[in-house]
Amino acid sequence: MIEEELAPVQRWAVKLEYDGTGLVGWQRQKSGVSVQSLLEEAAARLANNRPVSSITAGRTDSGVHALAQVAHLDFPADVRFSRHSVREGLSYHLKPHNVVVLDAAQVDTDWSARFSAIWRSYQYRILNRRSRPTLLAGQVWHVKSTLDVEKMQEAANILVGSHDFTSFRAVACQAHSPLRTLDQLEVSRHGDEVIVFAKARSFLHHQVRNMVGTLKLVGIGAWLPERVADALEARNRCAAGPTAPPEGLYLNGVGYDPDPFD
Amino acid sequence: MIEEELAPVQRWAVKLEYDGTGLVGWQRQKSGVSVQSLLEEAAARLANNRPVSSITAGRTDSGVHALAQVAHLDFPADVRFSRHSVREGLSYHLKPHNVVVLDAAQVDTDWSARFSAIWRSYQYRILNRRSRPTLLAGQVWHVKSTLDVEKMQEAANILVGSHDFTSFRAVACQAHSPLRTLDQLEVSRHGDEVIVFAKARSFLHHQVRNMVGTLKLVGIGAWLPERVADALEARNRCAAGPTAPPEGLYLNGVGYDPDPFD
């Protein structure tokens, strides 16, 4: 029996920043432009128009932004690249879209942007004032009622740790297990902005947005912080608050050990 | 001789935030949409379609943003307003433009947004990294070469104080005197961003952008800080650096004593 030979590849990790406005999210879809399709098409241009596939650390939804998303790309082995040429070449071909490659690094072919990740962090930005956003339009969730950040933090502390997050996962979530360990969930105010920072090894689909939608109910005084414990115990999506809109969410960073970009 | 009677008016001070992208600046112009025309048209809607005129503290240029611009509006005396109704009514009629009224306060008719102002402050945002901006596109000046912030501050210190700023004013500047007192000019780094903060009683046309364009030459090492003293002494626009682009500039705030919004 002859083993089928795979064409030899070189794998590159790339760090991406993007404005999710107007994009259908990470994953390739027929309904519009995705980050994945933009990135793979830019990569194909660098590979003399041969197809290049990508795997990402976080499949962000439509409208969600990224400050430091990580993906890997498998290029044909016969193209000669440097960190500089991958970063600049991809960024060039990603124009005029608001997607850019911040950094690139060659990695072993057993390294995976998705499976080698040891943590992901997100921030959720809420513009908490009467007036609608102008400079931050499409980049924050606008909440008019004054949020009580201390009460939100009290509720957030209930969610930190290892739990069954069924109440906070999208009904369509495809993960095998609803168990996750939430390492950090921090609520802070910066002038008119309230920021929720979340860090975990991995998150369920919509988990951050569902937690933020629930914390907002606590912040406006509609829920007491204790009710979040009841919502968590219910293991029922209907027991928690609504999903916060995508435009406030940012994939902040992805951790690896060692960090391929160091 | 009969004295002509002016229709009685009520004067309102308004605080505005706007994204200058796509606007021709503050002042009404035939070439496009101005903040002034948007504001006066929104005000006319609140005044049963009678004309309302405005005066501003800072006539920002095309593409320049504002975090807390101040203007005053003279409404007919017979309309009944509250702070709430002026703020919400104007903001409603300013839709869908990225211009919003943050606050409103009734003032005496001898109070002027322009002449009662005791200081103006601006910030200039530079994105100082290799990769082009995505989320901050149109809201920063992208400078790829690493800026030496300490050297820039050394140069900035030369400009602080009372000087003839002829070298840093637009040739078309209509101010009677080129003398200005610059109270603060501070350069700081926040990760990938370099921010120049400027405060003075008033500024000449393009003064902040011309100072930033010159400080950038120092930051990239093309100029020694001392050369800024020579440029200042030359009293010649050609002796200073180029004008930094409008998209990095923000009118941060305008000071009054007492503050009508307090």
Side-chain angles (χ1 to χ4, degrees), chain A residues 17-20 65-67 84 87-88 90-103 127 129-137 139 144 192 250, chain B residues 17-20 65-67 84 87-88 90-103 127 129-137 139 144 192 250:
Chain A
E17 180 187 275
Y18 49 85
D19 180 341
H65 317 292
L67 299 176
H84 177 84
R87 185 190 67 212
E88 298 294 315
L90 290 174
S91 292
Y92 177 80
H93 291 297
L94 285 164
K95 281 184 197 171
H97 300 278
N98 277 334
V99 181
V100 85
V101 173
L102 300 174
D103 205 352
L127 185 64
R129 68 177 191 190
R130 293 291 312 166
S131 310
R132 63 187 158 81
T134 66
L135 288 150
L136 292 175
Q139 303 191 0
K144 290 187 180 185
D192 276 346
Y250 295 71
Chain B
E17 180 187 273
Y18 49 85
D19 180 342
H65 316 293
L67 299 177
H84 177 85
R87 185 190 68 211
E88 298 294 314
L90 289 174
S91 290
Y92 177 80
H93 291 297
L94 285 163
K95 281 184 195 170
H97 300 279
N98 277 334
V99 180
V100 84
V101 173
L102 300 174
D103 205 353
L127 185 64
R129 67 177 193 190
R130 294 292 310 168
S131 309
R132 63 186 159 80
T134 65
L135 288 150
L136 293 175
Q139 302 191 0
K144 291 186 181 186
D192 277 347
Y250 296 71

Coordinates of all heavy atoms in Angstrom, one line a residue, chain A residues 17-20 65-67 84 87-88 90-103 127 129-137 139 144 192 250, chain B residues 17-20 65-67 84 87-88 90-103 127 129-137 139 144 192 250:
Chain A
E17 N -5.5 42.2 13.3 CA -6.4 43.2 13.9 C -7.5 43.5 12.9 O -7.2 43.6 11.7 CB -5.6 44.5 14.2 CG -6.5 45.6 14.8 CD -5.7 46.9 14.9 OE1 -5.0 47.1 15.9 OE2 -5.8 47.8 14.0
Y18 N -8.8 43.6 13.3 CA -9.8 43.9 12.3 C -11.0 44.6 13.0 O -11.3 44.5 14.2 CB -10.3 42.8 11.5 CG -10.7 41.5 12.2 CD1 -11.9 41.3 12.7 CD2 -9.7 40.4 12.3 CE1 -12.3 40.1 13.3 CE2 -10.1 39.2 12.9 CZ -11.3 39.1 13.4 OH -11.7 37.9 14.0
D19 N -11.6 45.4 12.2 CA -12.9 46.1 12.5 C -14.0 45.2 11.9 O -14.0 45.0 10.7 CB -12.9 47.5 11.8 CG -14.2 48.2 12.1 OD1 -15.2 47.6 12.5 OD2 -14.2 49.5 12.0
G20 N -14.8 44.6 12.7 CA -15.7 43.6 12.3 C -17.0 44.2 11.6 O -17.8 43.4 11.0
H65 N -15.1 42.5 16.7 CA -13.8 43.0 16.3 C -12.6 42.2 16.9 O -12.9 41.4 17.8 CB -13.6 44.5 16.8 CG -14.8 45.3 16.6 ND1 -15.2 45.7 15.3 CD2 -15.7 45.8 17.4 CE1 -16.4 46.4 15.4 NE2 -16.7 46.5 16.7
A66 N -11.4 42.4 16.5 CA -10.2 41.7 17.0 C -9.1 42.7 17.1 O -8.8 43.5 16.2 CB -9.9 40.5 16.2
L67 N -8.4 42.7 18.3 CA -7.2 43.5 18.5 C -6.0 42.6 18.2 O -4.9 43.1 17.9 CB -7.2 44.1 19.9 CG -8.3 45.0 20.2 CD1 -8.2 45.5 21.7 CD2 -8.3 46.2 19.3
H84 N 8.8 39.6 7.7 CA 8.5 40.9 7.1 C 7.6 40.7 5.8 O 6.6 41.4 5.7 CB 9.7 41.7 6.7 CG 9.5 43.0 6.0 ND1 9.2 44.1 6.7 CD2 9.5 43.3 4.7 CE1 9.1 45.1 5.8 NE2 9.2 44.6 4.6
R87 N 4.0 39.4 6.7 CA 3.2 40.5 7.3 C 2.8 41.6 6.3 O 1.6 41.9 6.1 CB 4.0 41.2 8.5 CG 3.2 42.2 9.2 CD 4.0 43.0 10.2 NE 5.0 43.8 9.5 CZ 6.2 44.1 9.9 NH1 6.7 43.6 11.0 NH2 7.0 44.9 9.1
E88 N 3.8 42.1 5.6 CA 3.5 43.2 4.6 C 2.7 42.7 3.4 O 1.9 43.4 2.9 CB 4.8 43.9 4.2 CG 5.6 44.5 5.4 CD 4.9 45.7 6.0 OE1 4.4 46.5 5.2 OE2 4.8 45.7 7.2
L90 N 0.6 40.1 3.1 CA -0.8 39.8 3.4 C -1.5 41.2 3.7 O -2.6 41.4 3.1 CB -0.9 39.0 4.7 CG -0.5 37.5 4.6 CD1 -0.5 36.8 5.9 CD2 -1.4 36.8 3.6
S91 N -0.9 42.1 4.4 CA -1.6 43.4 4.7 C -1.9 44.1 3.4 O -2.9 44.7 3.3 CB -0.8 44.2 5.7 OG -0.7 43.6 6.9
Y92 N -0.9 44.0 2.5 CA -1.1 44.7 1.2 C -2.3 44.2 0.5 O -3.2 44.9 0.0 CB 0.2 44.6 0.4 CG 0.0 45.2 -1.0 CD1 0.2 46.6 -1.2 CD2 -0.3 44.4 -2.1 CE1 0.0 47.2 -2.4 CE2 -0.4 45.0 -3.4 CZ -0.3 46.4 -3.5 OH -0.4 46.9 -4.7
H93 N -2.4 42.8 0.4 CA -3.5 42.2 -0.3 C -4.9 42.2 0.4 O -5.9 42.0 -0.1 CB -3.2 40.8 -0.7 CG -2.1 40.7 -1.8 ND1 -2.2 41.3 -3.0 CD2 -0.8 40.2 -1.7 CE1 -1.1 41.1 -3.7 NE2 -0.2 40.5 -2.9
L94 N -4.8 42.6 1.7 CA -6.1 42.7 2.5 C -6.7 44.1 2.3 O -7.9 44.3 2.7 CB -5.8 42.5 4.0 CG -5.6 41.1 4.4 CD1 -4.9 41.0 5.8 CD2 -6.9 40.3 4.4
K95 N -6.0 45.0 1.7 CA -6.6 46.3 1.4 C -7.7 46.2 0.4 O -7.6 45.3 -0.5 CB -5.5 47.3 0.8 CG -4.5 47.9 1.8 CD -3.6 48.8 1.0 CE -2.4 49.2 1.8 NZ -1.4 49.9 1.0
P96 N -8.7 47.0 0.4 CA -8.9 48.2 1.3 C -9.7 47.8 2.5 O -10.3 48.7 3.2 CB -9.7 49.1 0.4 CG -10.6 48.2 -0.4 CD -9.8 46.9 -0.6
H97 N -9.8 46.5 2.9 CA -10.6 46.1 4.0 C -10.0 46.5 5.3 O -8.7 46.6 5.4 CB -10.9 44.6 3.9 CG -11.6 44.2 2.7 ND1 -13.0 44.3 2.6 CD2 -11.2 43.8 1.5 CE1 -13.3 44.0 1.3 NE2 -12.3 43.6 0.7
N98 N -10.8 46.7 6.4 CA -10.2 47.1 7.7 C -9.7 45.8 8.4 O -10.1 45.6 9.6 CB -11.2 47.9 8.5 CG -11.2 49.3 8.1 OD1 -10.2 49.9 7.6 ND2 -12.3 50.0 8.3
V99 N -8.8 45.1 7.8 CA -8.2 43.9 8.3 C -6.7 44.0 8.1 O -6.3 44.4 6.9 CB -8.7 42.6 7.6 CG1 -8.1 41.4 8.2 CG2 -10.2 42.5 7.7
V100 N -5.9 43.8 9.1 CA -4.4 44.0 8.9 C -3.7 42.9 9.7 O -4.2 42.4 10.7 CB -4.0 45.4 9.3 CG1 -3.8 45.5 10.8 CG2 -2.9 45.9 8.5
V101 N -2.5 42.5 9.1 CA -1.7 41.6 9.8 C -0.6 42.4 10.7 O 0.2 43.1 10.1 CB -1.0 40.6 8.8 CG1 0.1 39.7 9.6 CG2 -2.0 39.7 8.2
L102 N -0.6 42.2 12.0 CA 0.3 42.9 12.9 C 1.6 42.2 13.0 O 2.6 42.9 13.2 CB -0.3 43.0 14.3 CG -1.7 43.7 14.4 CD1 -2.2 43.5 15.9 CD2 -1.6 45.1 14.1
D103 N 1.6 40.9 12.9 CA 2.9 40.1 13.0 C 2.7 38.7 12.4 O 1.6 38.3 12.1 CB 3.2 40.0 14.5 CG 4.7 39.8 14.8 OD1 5.4 39.6 13.8 OD2 5.1 39.8 16.0
L127 N -20.6 52.0 25.9 CA -20.7 53.5 26.1 C -21.9 53.8 27.0 O -23.0 53.6 26.5 CB -20.7 54.2 24.7 CG -20.6 55.7 24.8 CD1 -19.3 56.1 25.4 CD2 -20.9 56.3 23.5
R129 N -23.7 56.5 28.5 CA -24.1 57.9 28.6 C -25.4 58.1 27.9 O -25.9 57.2 27.2 CB -23.0 58.8 28.0 CG -22.9 58.6 26.5 CD -21.8 59.5 26.0 NE -21.9 59.5 24.5 CZ -21.0 60.1 23.7 NH1 -19.9 60.7 24.2 NH2 -21.2 60.1 22.4
R130 N -26.0 59.2 28.1 CA -27.3 59.5 27.4 C -27.1 59.6 25.9 O -27.9 59.0 25.1 CB -27.8 60.9 27.9 CG -28.2 61.0 29.3 CD -29.5 60.2 29.6 NE -30.5 60.4 28.7 CZ -31.6 59.7 28.5 NH1 -31.8 58.6 29.3 NH2 -32.6 60.0 27.7
S131 N -26.0 60.3 25.4 CA -25.9 60.6 24.0 C -25.4 59.4 23.2 O -24.5 58.7 23.7 CB -25.0 61.7 23.7 OG -25.3 62.8 24.5
R132 N -25.9 59.2 22.0 CA -25.4 58.1 21.2 C -24.0 58.3 20.8 O -23.5 59.4 20.8 CB -26.3 58.0 19.9 CG -26.3 59.1 19.0 CD -27.3 59.0 17.9 NE -27.6 60.3 17.3 CZ -26.9 61.0 16.4 NH1 -25.8 60.4 16.0 NH2 -27.2 62.2 16.0
P133 N -23.3 57.2 20.4 CA -21.9 57.3 20.0 C -21.7 58.0 18.6 O -22.6 57.9 17.8 CB -21.4 55.9 20.0 CG -22.6 55.0 19.8 CD -23.7 55.8 20.4
T134 N -20.6 58.7 18.5 CA -20.2 59.2 17.1 C -18.9 58.6 16.7 O -18.9 57.8 15.8 CB -20.1 60.8 17.1 OG1 -19.0 61.2 17.9 CG2 -21.4 61.4 17.6
L135 N -17.8 59.0 17.3 CA -16.5 58.4 17.0 C -16.4 56.9 17.2 O -15.7 56.2 16.6 CB -15.4 59.1 17.8 CG -15.1 60.6 17.3 CD1 -14.6 61.5 18.4 CD2 -14.2 60.6 16.1
L136 N -17.2 56.4 18.2 CA -17.2 55.0 18.5 C -18.4 54.2 18.0 O -18.7 53.1 18.4 CB -17.2 54.8 20.1 CG -15.9 55.3 20.7 CD1 -15.9 55.2 22.2 CD2 -14.7 54.4 20.2
A137 N -19.1 54.9 17.0 CA -20.3 54.2 16.4 C -19.8 52.8 15.8 O -18.8 52.8 15.1 CB -20.9 55.0 15.3
Q139 N -18.6 50.4 17.5 CA -17.5 49.9 18.2 C -17.8 49.7 19.7 O -16.9 49.4 20.5 CB -16.2 50.7 18.0 CG -15.8 50.7 16.5 CD -14.5 51.3 16.2 OE1 -13.7 51.7 17.1 NE2 -14.1 51.4 14.9
K144 N -27.9 53.6 27.9 CA -28.2 55.0 28.4 C -28.3 55.0 29.9 O -27.8 56.0 30.5 CB -29.5 55.5 27.8 CG -29.4 55.8 26.3 CD -30.7 56.5 25.9 CE -30.6 56.8 24.4 NZ -31.8 57.6 23.9
D192 N -16.9 57.7 30.5 CA -18.2 57.3 30.0 C -18.3 55.8 29.6 O -19.3 55.3 29.2 CB -18.5 58.1 28.7 CG -19.1 59.4 29.1 OD1 -19.5 59.6 30.2 OD2 -19.2 60.2 28.1
Y250 N -14.6 42.6 21.5 CA -13.3 42.6 20.9 C -12.5 41.3 21.4 O -12.4 41.1 22.6 CB -12.4 43.8 21.4 CG -12.9 45.1 20.9 CD1 -14.1 45.6 21.4 CD2 -12.3 45.8 19.9 CE1 -14.6 46.9 21.0 CE2 -12.8 47.1 19.5 CZ -13.9 47.6 20.0 OH -14.4 48.8 19.6
Chain B
E17 N -20.1 66.5 20.3 CA -19.1 65.5 19.9 C -19.3 65.1 18.5 O -20.5 65.0 18.1 CB -19.2 64.2 20.8 CG -18.2 63.1 20.5 CD -18.5 61.8 21.2 OE1 -18.1 61.7 22.4 OE2 -19.2 61.0 20.7
Y18 N -18.3 65.1 17.7 CA -18.5 64.6 16.3 C -17.2 63.9 15.7 O -16.1 64.1 16.1 CB -18.9 65.7 15.4 CG -18.2 67.0 15.4 CD1 -17.0 67.2 14.6 CD2 -18.6 68.1 16.2 CE1 -16.3 68.4 14.6 CE2 -18.0 69.3 16.2 CZ -16.8 69.5 15.4 OH -16.2 70.7 15.4
D19 N -17.5 63.1 14.8 CA -16.5 62.4 13.9 C -16.4 63.3 12.7 O -17.4 63.3 11.9 CB -17.0 61.0 13.6 CG -16.0 60.2 12.7 OD1 -15.1 60.8 12.1 OD2 -16.1 59.0 12.7
G20 N -15.3 63.9 12.4 CA -15.2 64.8 11.3 C -15.0 64.2 10.0 O -15.1 64.9 8.9
H65 N -11.9 66.1 14.4 CA -12.9 65.6 15.2 C -13.1 66.5 16.5 O -12.3 67.3 16.8 CB -12.6 64.2 15.7 CG -12.1 63.3 14.6 ND1 -12.9 62.9 13.6 CD2 -10.8 62.8 14.4 CE1 -12.2 62.2 12.7 NE2 -10.9 62.1 13.2
A66 N -14.2 66.3 17.2 CA -14.4 67.0 18.5 C -15.0 66.1 19.5 O -15.9 65.3 19.3 CB -15.3 68.2 18.3
L67 N -14.4 66.2 20.7 CA -14.9 65.4 21.9 C -15.8 66.3 22.7 O -16.7 65.8 23.4 CB -13.7 64.9 22.7 CG -12.8 64.0 22.0 CD1 -11.6 63.6 22.9 CD2 -13.5 62.7 21.5
H84 N -32.9 69.2 28.8 CA -33.2 67.9 28.2 C -33.7 68.0 26.8 O -33.3 67.3 25.9 CB -34.2 67.1 29.1 CG -34.6 65.8 28.6 ND1 -33.9 64.6 28.8 CD2 -35.7 65.4 27.8 CE1 -34.5 63.6 28.2 NE2 -35.5 64.1 27.6
R87 N -31.1 69.2 24.3 CA -30.1 68.1 24.0 C -30.6 67.0 23.1 O -30.1 66.6 22.1 CB -29.5 67.6 25.3 CG -28.4 66.6 25.1 CD -28.1 65.9 26.5 NE -29.2 65.0 26.8 CZ -29.6 64.7 28.1 NH1 -28.9 65.2 29.1 NH2 -30.6 63.9 28.3
E88 N -31.8 66.5 23.6 CA -32.4 65.3 22.9 C -32.9 65.7 21.5 O -32.8 65.0 20.6 CB -33.4 64.7 23.8 CG -32.9 64.1 25.1 CD -32.0 63.0 24.9 OE1 -32.3 62.1 24.1 OE2 -30.9 63.0 25.6
L90 N -32.0 68.3 19.5 CA -31.0 68.5 18.5 C -30.4 67.2 18.1 O -30.2 67.0 16.9 CB -29.9 69.5 19.1 CG -30.3 70.9 19.3 CD1 -29.2 71.7 20.0 CD2 -30.6 71.6 18.0
S91 N -30.0 66.3 19.1 CA -29.4 65.1 18.7 C -30.3 64.2 17.8 O -29.8 63.6 16.9 CB -29.1 64.3 20.0 OG -28.0 64.9 20.7
Y92 N -31.6 64.3 18.1 CA -32.5 63.6 17.2 C -32.5 64.0 15.8 O -32.4 63.3 14.8 CB -34.0 63.7 17.8 CG -35.0 63.0 16.9 CD1 -35.2 61.6 17.0 CD2 -35.7 63.7 16.0 CE1 -36.1 61.0 16.2 CE2 -36.7 63.1 15.2 CZ -36.8 61.7 15.3 OH -37.7 61.1 14.5
H93 N -32.5 65.4 15.6 CA -32.5 65.9 14.2 C -31.1 65.9 13.6 O -31.0 66.1 12.4 CB -33.1 67.3 14.2 CG -34.5 67.4 14.5 ND1 -35.5 66.8 13.7 CD2 -35.2 67.9 15.6 CE1 -36.7 67.0 14.2 NE2 -36.6 67.6 15.4
L94 N -30.1 65.6 14.4 CA -28.7 65.5 13.8 C -28.5 64.1 13.2 O -27.5 63.9 12.4 CB -27.6 65.7 14.8 CG -27.4 67.2 15.2 CD1 -26.7 67.4 16.5 CD2 -26.7 68.0 14.1
K95 N -29.4 63.1 13.5 CA -29.3 61.8 12.9 C -29.5 61.9 11.4 O -30.3 62.7 10.9 CB -30.4 60.9 13.5 CG -30.1 60.3 14.8 CD -31.2 59.4 15.2 CE -31.2 59.1 16.7 NZ -32.4 58.3 17.1
P96 N -28.8 61.0 10.6 CA -27.9 59.9 11.0 C -26.5 60.3 11.0 O -25.6 59.5 11.0 CB -28.2 58.9 9.9 CG -28.4 59.8 8.7 CD -29.0 61.0 9.1
H97 N -26.2 61.6 11.0 CA -24.8 62.0 11.0 C -24.1 61.7 12.3 O -24.7 61.7 13.4 CB -24.7 63.5 10.7 CG -25.4 63.9 9.4 ND1 -24.7 63.7 8.2 CD2 -26.6 64.3 9.0 CE1 -25.5 64.0 7.2 NE2 -26.7 64.3 7.7
N98 N -22.8 61.6 12.3 CA -22.0 61.3 13.5 C -21.7 62.6 14.3 O -20.5 62.9 14.5 CB -20.7 60.5 13.1 CG -21.0 59.0 13.0 OD1 -22.0 58.5 13.6 ND2 -20.2 58.3 12.2
V99 N -22.7 63.3 14.6 CA -22.7 64.5 15.4 C -23.7 64.4 16.4 O -24.9 64.0 16.1 CB -23.0 65.8 14.5 CG1 -22.9 67.1 15.3 CG2 -22.0 65.8 13.3
V100 N -23.4 64.7 17.7 CA -24.3 64.6 18.8 C -24.1 65.7 19.8 O -23.0 66.2 20.0 CB -24.2 63.2 19.4 CG1 -23.1 63.1 20.4 CG2 -25.5 62.7 20.0
V101 N -25.3 66.1 20.4 CA -25.2 67.1 21.5 C -25.1 66.4 22.8 O -26.0 65.6 23.2 CB -26.4 68.0 21.5 CG1 -26.4 68.9 22.7 CG2 -26.4 68.8 20.2
L102 N -24.0 66.6 23.6 CA -23.7 65.9 24.8 C -24.4 66.7 26.0 O -24.8 66.1 27.0 CB -22.2 65.9 25.1 CG -21.3 65.2 24.1 CD1 -19.9 65.4 24.5 CD2 -21.7 63.7 24.1
D103 N -24.6 68.0 25.9 CA -25.1 68.8 26.9 C -25.6 70.1 26.4 O -25.2 70.5 25.3 CB -24.1 69.0 28.0 CG -24.7 69.3 29.4 OD1 -26.0 69.4 29.5 OD2 -24.0 69.3 30.4
L127 N -0.9 56.9 15.4 CA -0.7 55.5 15.5 C 0.7 55.2 15.0 O 1.0 55.3 13.9 CB -1.8 54.7 14.7 CG -1.7 53.2 14.9 CD1 -2.1 52.8 16.4 CD2 -2.7 52.5 14.0
R129 N 3.1 52.5 14.5 CA 3.4 51.1 14.3 C 3.5 50.9 12.8 O 3.2 51.7 12.0 CB 2.3 50.2 14.9 CG 1.0 50.3 14.2 CD -0.1 49.4 14.8 NE -1.2 49.3 13.9 CZ -2.3 48.7 14.2 NH1 -2.5 48.2 15.4 NH2 -3.3 48.7 13.3
R130 N 4.0 49.7 12.5 CA 4.2 49.3 11.1 C 2.8 49.2 10.4 O 2.7 49.7 9.3 CB 4.9 48.0 11.0 CG 6.4 48.0 11.4 CD 7.3 48.8 10.6 NE 7.1 48.4 9.1 CZ 7.6 49.1 8.1 NH1 8.3 50.2 8.4 NH2 7.5 48.7 6.9
S131 N 1.9 48.5 11.0 CA 0.6 48.2 10.3 C -0.3 49.3 10.3 O -0.5 50.1 11.3 CB 0.0 47.0 11.0 OG 0.9 45.9 11.2
R132 N -1.0 49.5 9.2 CA -2.0 50.5 9.0 C -3.2 50.3 10.0 O -3.4 49.2 10.5 CB -2.5 50.6 7.6 CG -3.3 49.3 7.1 CD -3.6 49.4 5.7 NE -3.9 48.1 5.2 CZ -5.0 47.4 5.3 NH1 -6.0 47.9 5.9 NH2 -5.2 46.2 4.8
P133 N -3.9 51.4 10.3 CA -5.0 51.3 11.3 C -6.2 50.6 10.7 O -6.4 50.6 9.5 CB -5.3 52.8 11.6 CG -4.8 53.6 10.5 CD -3.7 52.8 9.9
T134 N -7.0 49.9 11.5 CA -8.3 49.3 11.1 C -9.4 50.0 11.9 O -10.1 50.8 11.4 CB -8.3 47.8 11.3 OG1 -8.2 47.4 12.7 CG2 -7.1 47.1 10.5
L135 N -9.4 49.6 13.2 CA -10.5 50.2 14.1 C -10.4 51.7 14.2 O -11.3 52.4 14.4 CB -10.5 49.6 15.4 CG -11.0 48.1 15.4 CD1 -10.3 47.3 16.5 CD2 -12.5 48.1 15.6
L136 N -9.1 52.2 14.0 CA -8.9 53.7 14.2 C -8.7 54.4 12.8 O -8.2 55.5 12.8 CB -7.7 53.9 15.1 CG -7.9 53.5 16.5 CD1 -6.5 53.7 17.3 CD2 -8.9 54.4 17.2
A137 N -9.1 53.7 11.7 CA -9.0 54.3 10.4 C -9.7 55.7 10.4 O -10.9 55.7 10.9 CB -9.5 53.4 9.3
Q139 N -9.1 58.2 12.2 CA -9.1 58.8 13.6 C -7.7 59.0 14.1 O -7.6 59.4 15.3 CB -10.0 58.0 14.5 CG -11.5 57.9 14.0 CD -12.5 57.3 15.0 OE1 -12.1 57.0 16.1 NE2 -13.7 57.2 14.5
K144 N 4.8 55.2 10.6 CA 5.4 53.9 10.7 C 6.8 53.9 11.5 O 7.0 53.0 12.2 CB 5.7 53.3 9.3 CG 4.4 52.9 8.6 CD 4.8 52.2 7.2 CE 3.6 51.8 6.5 NZ 3.9 51.0 5.3
D192 N 0.9 51.6 21.3 CA 1.2 51.9 19.9 C 0.9 53.4 19.6 O 1.1 53.8 18.4 CB 0.4 51.1 19.0 CG 1.0 49.7 18.7 OD1 2.2 49.5 19.1 OD2 0.3 48.8 18.2
Y250 N -8.2 66.3 17.4 CA -9.5 66.3 18.2 C -9.5 67.6 19.0 O -8.6 67.9 19.8 CB -9.5 65.1 19.2 CG -9.6 63.8 18.6 CD1 -8.5 63.2 18.0 CD2 -10.7 63.0 18.6 CE1 -8.5 62.0 17.4 CE2 -10.8 61.8 18.0 CZ -9.7 61.3 17.4 OH -9.7 60.0 16.8

